[in-house]
Amino acid sequence: MNEQLVSMITQLVMEKMGQDTAATPIEASQPSVLKLVETAEAPNTTVGANEPLIKLYNGVAQSVSQGVASSIAQTTTEPAKEFQFEAGDVSDSVQAARKHTPARIGVGRAGTRPKTKTWLNFRLDHAAAVDAVYGEVSDELLQKLNVFQVATKVTDKEEYITRPDLGRRLSDEGKALIQEKCKKNPTVQIIISNGLSASAIEENVQDVYLALQQSLSNLNIDIGTTFYIDKGRVALMDEIGELLQPEVIVYLIGERPGLVSAESMSAYLCYQPRIGTVEADRMVISNIHKGGIPPLEAGAYLGTVVQKILHYKASGVGLVAKES
């Protein structure tokens, strides 16, 4: 660039800055002013010699170039809307569905999330399910029922969950104890196991067992020596059938817990179960708990089912075929 031109521009800038300083003294009461030097003419624009291009008012920059005061920091915001929770009332169809299922329907939400009460209930039910699986049946209950205890080949709860096959076989000590204490060739052999829910046994088995005993006694049906199996699976009844040779086995066992009930028990029945029995020959009365089939009612009903099995000499699919 031409050095003479640079010198001229510099001199003009210095002169203008001196004029502005002399003509516009700064007063404490006036707003702060940021002055910019216009480097190019804008078409149809008239700016006074001492008029700043940008002024700062209370920290907000406002442009007065082009003869118009336009805000560059102003933003438009809509007024905040009050947050509305979902209404507590639900439709008639949802209310009707609630009467027929314990499932979590129509529980509402807060924004995109469950309501606090709903979430806490869910966590509570989940914790109860975990406790049911990892819990143990108390010795006091076994003493009340007057039953002895045997074990399977499972060593702990983790192995029981991951190795179902080991829960279908008795330990050597368990086999010896059963052969020593149990009556051989009974008409009905009752066995009890915590299965996947110790809570189910704690809550229901006493009423079911006593009602079943009474029902079989009224029907003059012989009962074998009842015992308890720790960490047993359903198919374990086949090995017990081989050992004791009963006509019918009734197996009271804790069901896999869910988020509706962690205290549900099942009763599996089978006619002459032996190693190799297929699942179609078994039958089950499930959902035995205070919110399903009442325990006393279930025990009494099991006696009539046993009577029917003995009459037709079949269970499961075979019993259905003979009945029809």
Side-chain angles (χ1 to χ4, degrees), residues 18-308:
Q19 293 174 359
D20 289 344
T21 305
T24 314
I26 300 176
E27 298 181 4
S29 60
Q30 292 181 347
S32 301
V33 176
L34 173 64
K35 299 186 177 182
L36 299 182
V37 178
E38 187 176 16
T39 59
E41 279 191 4
N44 301 324
T45 301
T46 304
V47 180
N50 296 327
E51 185 179 359
L53 298 179
I54 298 177
K55 295 182 180 180
L56 298 179
Y57 290 98
N58 298 325
V60 178
Q62 291 182 328
S63 173
V64 293
S65 63
Q66 301 180 3
V68 180
S70 58
S71 173
I72 62 172
Q74 183 179 3
T75 58
T76 58
T77 57
E78 296 181 359
K81 296 180 180 179
E82 183 180 356
F83 183 79
Q84 297 291 335
F85 287 96
E86 186 170 301
D89 296 334
V90 296
S91 64
D92 293 339
S93 59
V94 173
Q95 291 182 9
R98 280 177 171 176
K99 297 178 181 179
H100 296 87
T101 177
R104 290 173 169 82
I105 58 174
V107 294
R109 58 186 173 83
T112 60
R113 301 185 179 189
K115 292 183 178 179
T116 300
K117 182 178 180 181
T118 301
W119 176 244
L120 292 178
N121 286 337
F122 176 86
R123 294 294 301 272
L124 177 63
D125 290 341
H126 180 267
V130 173
D131 289 345
V133 173
Y134 285 91
E136 299 292 346
V137 175
S138 64
D139 292 335
E140 290 78 9
L141 177 61
L142 300 182
Q143 291 172 3
K144 286 181 181 179
L145 299 176
N146 192 26
V147 297
F148 66 93
Q149 179 175 333
V150 298
T152 62
K153 292 184 177 295
V154 173
T155 56
D156 55 38
K157 284 290 185 179
E158 296 298 331
E159 188 175 56
Y160 175 73
I161 294 171
T162 58
R163 292 290 305 274
D165 57 310
L166 297 180
R168 300 185 185 113
R169 292 291 180 267
L170 290 165
S171 64
D172 294 337
E173 297 81 1
K175 287 182 183 180
L177 195 58
I178 289 172
Q179 290 176 328
E180 175 188 344
K181 291 192 172 185
C182 291
K183 181 169 63 174
K184 304 300 189 296
N185 304 110
T187 304
V188 176
Q189 176 64 52
I190 303 173
I191 53 180
I192 303 168
S193 178
N194 51 357
L196 284 166
S197 177
S199 301
I201 300 302
E202 288 282 349
E203 292 295 324
N204 305 298
V205 76
Q206 187 170 3
D207 289 340
V208 174
Y209 178 57
L210 294 178
L212 174 59
Q213 277 187 317
Q214 185 63 48
S215 179
L216 294 175
S217 177
N218 293 339
L219 296 170
N220 296 317
I221 298 175
D222 176 50
I223 305 173
T225 308
T226 304
F227 57 93
Y228 172 78
I229 306 171
D230 184 39
K231 304 178 185 69
R233 296 281 182 172
V234 173
L236 185 58
M237 62 168 52
D238 299 347
E239 185 173 14
I240 295 170
E242 294 281 359
L243 290 175
L244 300 178
Q245 301 289 311
E247 288 292 300
V248 178
I249 283 185
V250 179
Y251 195 173
L252 306 177
I253 187 170
E255 291 180 3
R256 179 181 290 104
L259 293 175
V260 171
S261 174
E263 302 173 350
S264 185
M265 191 182 78
S266 291
Y268 285 84
L269 303 96
C270 190
Y271 178 72
Q272 294 185 348
R274 304 292 185 268
I275 298 297
T277 295
V278 297
E279 295 303 314
D281 288 337
R282 308 187 208 280
M283 52 198 309
V284 60
I285 309 300
S286 61
N287 201 35
I288 303 172
H289 61 99
K290 60 184 179 182
I293 302 175
L296 289 173
E297 181 180 329
Y301 176 67
L302 285 171
T304 63
V305 176
V306 169
Q307 184 184 38
K308 188 184 297 184

